[in-house]
């Protein structure tokens, strides 16, 4: 990038612009910077810039349009770019969970792919027109139309609305107890940094959401995966034993409709877990991102409901219910409020006022509750359809979780079926699943996978599940016939 | 928060709602949740909830409105809340820099305060109407109106526009070289996590932006403050010596219009610094947040301009130029791209699509350049006015920086004037300044302060500077007469 290493200045400028045209940073039809602007920005003479543009014209890369300026030619004499540096993708049994996660995230980028792998509401389930109304209202109502920084703690109206909302699961928050964040994982990131240091040990469920595993590893934590029941979540006895060893610095549980296995801790377990953690003075980060997506009649409680000492850092967001792209989440950090507030100031300064305000408006006028009622119904309906299809199309012996809320099915296949193989075969048919090994740092879950039922049910979707079941059946058959 | 610890369920519900009314989470005139909703959410019987509401009515806290529901009384029989737990604020010479920063941030919350302490564009300088147009365009144009996650790397159009824009200071980026972030400090946070570990040493300018000092400390880094010239920035000889010691893991420079002292590294220094860092294989995080706010005719280069090995992680945003609250920034992480991309995925998953798209639109149609031309003129004009007022009103012997861009004046008073004292006295007159000790972890700059010239020049503003000068004169006089 050293602009002093070539003899003629005008040729350097011409070469750099040519590179931008070849790289399609400047596309066919784009206007080039004016001669005057280039002069000013680079401190060049008019004649140098004009000469550079003549040079590009002579290479048939740009053309003048009278009284308008210089444009990239349509069609430009396109030099074929050299092939990109190869990056062999090591998709095989030796993939690390991290590689797998990167791979699965990339599956999003091809619209041909059916994404059973990612848990988020499909656009069809989002109240987009109503949100847009709220956005215009926010734009008009906020000071400076939301272009200024907020107080570090976040939009006060939004925090008050969340405080009211949380009453439903037994929280007596005021707006002072809450800090807004850029989504739930951002809340968890601050929580982890507030209560742990590199080298500490964190106890989590197993299987666990890969985002939590990766975040914990990247912060230098040792991860202890605790035995977890597919219905009732973390095993209390195992937690007791782990805490008694005095090695645990922090716990992190997804206590309702766990990702991936769908478990929910019964009230008695939540109470007992909080009591144990208080006894050992170990903070608990609670990820309740699916708590509002219950299929039964009642909103489940949380561990925070039973927290009297402030050791629970409660995290949530609207990313699974309303608008993932708004990046609006929150944390009730209990006694760790000062630390979390400082971390937010250090790493991000301020949340984005506009989308915070939209969510606040949505909560305030009762639209959120109305929307959730419909979303819960759709998800419940979907979960039944998906489970039915798995029963119909998957090989005998397949086990599947029976979640009472959330987005996910945890599917256990015959031990002979490696779900990384299944993933690779399925991707050839543009079907993306989340193999079990993404959800652990141990050698387990190789024959499991997570399927999201967040995509609307259609006959073509059913066909995709049928294809997937057939692939699983084939792999299972091939393995048993080779024995 | 344990809802099982009292005898009658209806009394528990009533007490919790009363607390929300006293805390003003539920305000006078607010509608209470419907009986049906409370029943559903808590799994309670109709009679329990109805009884709870009767109880609140009997306490004159709520009232029924026929065919509408229950409302908090206007005016409610307001019980006086007990005084808040005291939090003695230790504003004195023993304040840590961190305390001071927290304090100064809180000064924002009282609109009566004149904020010379914070460097951001005043609303009057922002093209709010045009941004709002862009917002509506973004809302209509984006898939799902911006409610979905983006690819982790960020909005591709925005990255392409930034790539074009960066041509002006000698960068040959394509969109693949850039990752969007939630503002510049968020970019710096990822950069620091990508290239350093707790216990490593980072070399920075001195004085340095307090946000960088605090972030580095919170990540467990040792901070080495290098000698810095008020005009030319970091001293190259000092850098050479520090690097030769082999203890430096990473450098972080604000190479153009440094915050707080206004220095800019000359091209030769930028080149030499990059050459040295390459020699020692030490990465440089470059914060160029003020680079586009130059007062001269030319956009200054950056260290990244001369980076051929990919060791420079270049960070920037539109927070100082266009819309702080949009939280749109970016990083060109050079050879550390994979690490930074992973960190963004771990800590935040996705940027916010809406505001990214607005900035992309703004860049694309040339509005950014037009806006910047005006903003630069206003800031230049302001800087002259402020410097004039300091010359007129401040005590003799006062020194002031002569920045060629950006937002800040660095003011050096007589050694007898402690600027933490000055800050406290000025705040009694609702004038907020940034004392020098916020900008260092060492014992220095006690007689210095940073003044932002980001507020529009008015006669009442001039009066505030006059008041400030008078206070400084008084402190200086008192100290010399006591000798």
């Amino acid at each position: 990038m050293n602009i002093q290493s070539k003899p003629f200045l005008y040729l350097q400028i011409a070469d750099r612009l040519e590179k931008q045209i070849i790289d399609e940073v400047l596309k066919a039809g784009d206007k080039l910077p004016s001669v005057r602007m280039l002069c000013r920005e680079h401190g060049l003479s008019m004649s140098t810039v004009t000469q550079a543009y003549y040079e590009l014209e002579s290479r048939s890369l740009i053309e003048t349009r009278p009284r308008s300026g210089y444009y990239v030619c349509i069609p430009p004499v396109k030099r074929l770019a050299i092939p990109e540096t190869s990056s062999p993708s090591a998709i095989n049994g030796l993939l690390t969970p991290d590689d797998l996660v990167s791979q699965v995230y990339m599956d999003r980028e091809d619209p041909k792919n059916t994404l059973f792998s990612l848990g988020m509401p499909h656009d069809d389930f989002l109240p987009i027109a109503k949100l847009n109304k709220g956005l215009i209202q926010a734009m008009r109502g906020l000071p400076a139309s939301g272009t200024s920084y907020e107080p570090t703690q976040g939009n006060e109206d939004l925090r008050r609305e969340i405080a009211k909302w949380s009453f439903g699961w037994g929280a007596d928050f005021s707006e002072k107890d809450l800090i807004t964040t850029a989504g739930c994982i951002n809340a968890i990131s601050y929580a982890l940094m507030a209560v742990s240091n590199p080298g500490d040990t964190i106890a989590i469920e197993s299987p666990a959401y890969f985002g939590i595993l990766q975040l914990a590893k990247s912060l230098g934590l040792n991860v202890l995966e605790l035995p977890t029941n597919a219905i009732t979540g973390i095993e209390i006895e195992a937690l007791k034993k782990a805490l008694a060893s005095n090695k645990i610095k922090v716990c992190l549980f997804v206590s309702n409709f766990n990702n991936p296995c769908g478990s929910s801790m019964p009230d008695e377990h939540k109470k007992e877990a909080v009591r144990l953690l208080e006894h050992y003075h170990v903070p608990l980060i609670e990820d309740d991102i699916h708590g509002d997506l219950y299929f039964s009649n009642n909103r489940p409680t949380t561990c925070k409901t039973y927290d009297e000492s402030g050791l629970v850092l409660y995290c949530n967001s609207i990313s699974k219910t309303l608008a993932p792209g708004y990046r609006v989440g929150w944390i009730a950090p209990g006694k760790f409020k000062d630390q979390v507030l400082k971390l937010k100031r250090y790493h991000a300064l301020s949340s984005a006022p506009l989308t915070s305000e939209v969510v606040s408006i949505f909560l305030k006028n009762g639209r959120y509750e109305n929307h959730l009622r419909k979303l819960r119904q759709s998800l419940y309906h979907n979960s039944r359809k998906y489970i039915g299809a798995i029963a119909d199309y998957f090989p005998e012996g397949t086990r599947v979780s029976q979640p009472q809320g959330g987005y996910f099915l945890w599917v256990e296949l015959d031990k002979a079926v490696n779900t990384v193989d299944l993933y690779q075969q399925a991707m050839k048919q543009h079907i993306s699943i989340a193999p079990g090994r993404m959800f652990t740092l141990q050698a387990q879950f190789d024959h499991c996978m997570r399927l999201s039922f967040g995509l609307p049910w259609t006959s073509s979707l059913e066909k995709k599940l049928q294809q997937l079941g057939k692939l699983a059946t084939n792999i299972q058959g091939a393995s048993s016939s080779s024995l």
Side-chain angles (χ1 to χ4, degrees), chain A:
Chain A
M1 250 170 258
N2 187 328
I3 61 172
Q4 253 83 47
S5 60
K6 279 198 176 184
F8 295 115
L9 202 50
Y10 83 91
L11 276 179
Q12 292 174 38
I13 302 287
D15 286 351
R16 290 181 56 213
L17 285 167
E18 174 170 9
K19 184 171 177 301
Q20 289 219 317
I21 293 167
I22 290 169
D23 289 349
E24 295 195 64
V25 173
L26 290 165
K27 288 190 191 306
D30 274 3
K31 194 177 175 184
L32 278 91
S34 71
V35 173
R36 194 173 311 168
M37 182 170 155
L38 269 190
C39 290
R40 194 178 51 240
E41 298 235 316
H42 288 276
L44 299 169
S45 70
M46 290 282 278
S47 72
T48 303
V49 175
T50 316
Q51 221 179 335
Y53 279 12
Y54 283 159
E55 175 67 24
L56 289 170
E57 270 192 293
S58 77
R59 295 181 196 172
S60 301
L61 289 166
I62 67 170
E63 60 192 14
T64 34
R65 296 190 195 160
R67 280 183 299 280
S68 175
Y70 290 87
Y71 289 80
V72 179
C73 284
I74 310 173
V77 180
K78 198 167 175 178
R79 301 195 186 179
L80 292 176
I82 56 163
E84 286 216 34
T85 309
S86 70
S87 53
S89 90
I91 306 215
N92 58 42
L94 298 172
L95 271 179
T96 66
D98 206 50
D99 296 335
L100 263 176
V101 175
S102 300
Q103 189 64 37
V104 166
Y105 265 96
M106 292 213 306
D107 296 345
R108 281 193 300 178
E109 290 175 24
D110 185 347
K112 283 204 295 293
N113 294 337
T114 301
L115 299 174
F116 294 121
S117 48
L118 295 178
M120 59 185 92
H122 188 272
D123 301 349
D124 290 359
F125 292 140
L126 301 181
I128 292 174
K130 281 182 192 143
L131 288 170
N132 285 349
K133 264 191 197 169
L135 183 61
I136 288 171
Q137 199 180 330
M139 184 184 94
R140 292 194 179 134
L142 281 174
S145 289
T147 56
S148 307
Y149 291 126
E150 287 183 347
T152 308
Q153 200 169 343
N155 183 310
E156 194 175 329
D157 285 344
L158 174 60
R159 286 184 281 124
R160 190 176 303 113
E161 291 304 324
I162 295 167
K164 284 191 213 171
W165 180 256
S166 309
F167 190 84
W169 50 263
D172 296 320
F173 293 145
S174 88
E175 65 270 20
K176 288 183 196 150
D177 300 313
L178 296 157
I179 300 169
T180 67
T181 60
C184 191
I185 197 70
N186 185 237
I188 293 173
S189 142
Y190 294 143
L192 277 173
M193 289 195 270
V195 299
S196 70
N197 291 303
D200 287 343
T201 296
I202 180 172
I204 60 169
E205 287 130 342
S206 182
Y209 169 47
F210 51 81
I212 289 168
L213 291 173
Q214 294 189 313
L215 184 58
K217 290 302 287 179
S218 94
L219 292 172
L221 300 176
N222 302 312
V223 176
L224 178 68
E225 301 181 30
L226 293 175
T228 305
N229 181 289
I231 308 288
T232 59
I234 206 92
E235 295 274 71
I236 294 291
E237 280 310 309
L239 174 64
K240 201 179 284 180
K241 226 159 129 188
L243 288 170
S245 77
N246 282 321
K247 283 184 194 145
I248 307 297
K249 186 67 181 290
V250 52
C251 291
L252 195 163
F253 301 153
V254 185
S255 51
N256 292 319
F257 320 124
N258 177 280
N259 173 1
C261 75
S263 63
S264 290
M265 292 169 77
D267 284 359
E268 287 311 312
H269 286 207
K270 285 172 179 157
K271 267 190 234 180
E272 179 63 10
V274 170
R275 201 193 60 73
L276 281 169
L277 292 163
E278 280 173 7
H279 179 75
Y280 290 99
H281 304 291
V282 171
L284 167 64
I285 300 170
E286 183 172 35
D287 172 356
D288 192 35
I289 194 165
H290 300 117
D292 285 317
L293 295 173
Y294 50 91
F295 299 158
S296 69
N297 290 319
N298 301 324
R299 208 299 183 184
T301 64
T302 69
C303 293
K304 186 76 181 171
T305 309
Y306 308 104
D307 175 33
E308 287 173 358
S309 61
L311 275 172
V312 178
L313 301 98
Y314 173 89
C315 305
N316 204 340
S317 81
I318 51 89
S319 302
K320 300 291 183 190
T321 53
L322 199 59
Y326 276 17
R327 313 313 298 124
V328 174
W330 56 91
I331 178 168
K335 64 202 272 188
F336 305 100
K337 182 183 155 191
D338 286 352
Q339 292 96 308
V340 172
L341 206 50
K342 278 190 184 176
L343 284 164
K344 181 176 172 190
R345 204 178 69 212
Y346 299 162
H347 289 268
L349 266 183
S350 164
S351 300
L354 277 167
T355 48
S356 295
E357 182 73 6
V358 180
V359 176
S360 170
I361 291 170
F362 221 79
L363 276 161
K364 190 163 206 154
N365 56 23
R367 285 187 194 145
Y368 192 50
E369 175 58 23
N370 286 337
H371 161 65
L372 279 179
R373 207 169 303 138
K374 282 182 235 156
L375 179 60
R376 286 181 204 123
Q377 274 171 8
S378 307
L379 288 175
Y380 174 69
H381 171 82
N382 267 20
S383 73
R384 301 299 107 179
K385 289 289 189 185
Y386 278 63
I387 291 172
I390 290 168
D392 288 348
Y393 304 127
F394 276 56
E396 259 191 69
T398 299
R399 294 156 155 236
V400 64
S401 60
Q402 300 282 338
Q404 299 305 304
Y407 276 93
F408 300 114
L409 298 176
W410 183 244
V411 182
E412 217 176 288
L413 296 161
D414 185 280
K415 290 234 191 268
V417 182
N418 182 310
T419 48
V420 176
D421 293 342
L422 179 62
Y423 167 71
Q424 288 167 39
Q425 294 193 26
M427 272 308 292
K428 288 181 189 151
Q429 303 180 26
H430 292 289
I431 299 170
S432 173
I433 59 166
R437 57 185 303 170
M438 283 168 65
F439 301 91
T440 181
L441 300 169
Q442 311 293 318
Q444 54 177 343
F445 308 133
D446 281 344
H447 60 303
C448 301
M449 63 178 163
R450 189 191 73 177
L451 292 184
S452 158
F453 48 82
L455 298 172
W457 184 258
T458 59
S459 59
S460 73
L461 194 89
E462 183 172 7
K463 228 168 256 161
K464 291 285 174 188
L465 285 172
Q466 192 173 5
Q467 280 171 262
L468 192 60
K470 200 169 168 192
L471 286 174
T473 310
N474 290 348
I475 295 177
Q476 187 171 330
S479 114
S480 65
S481 69
S482 73
L483 289 177

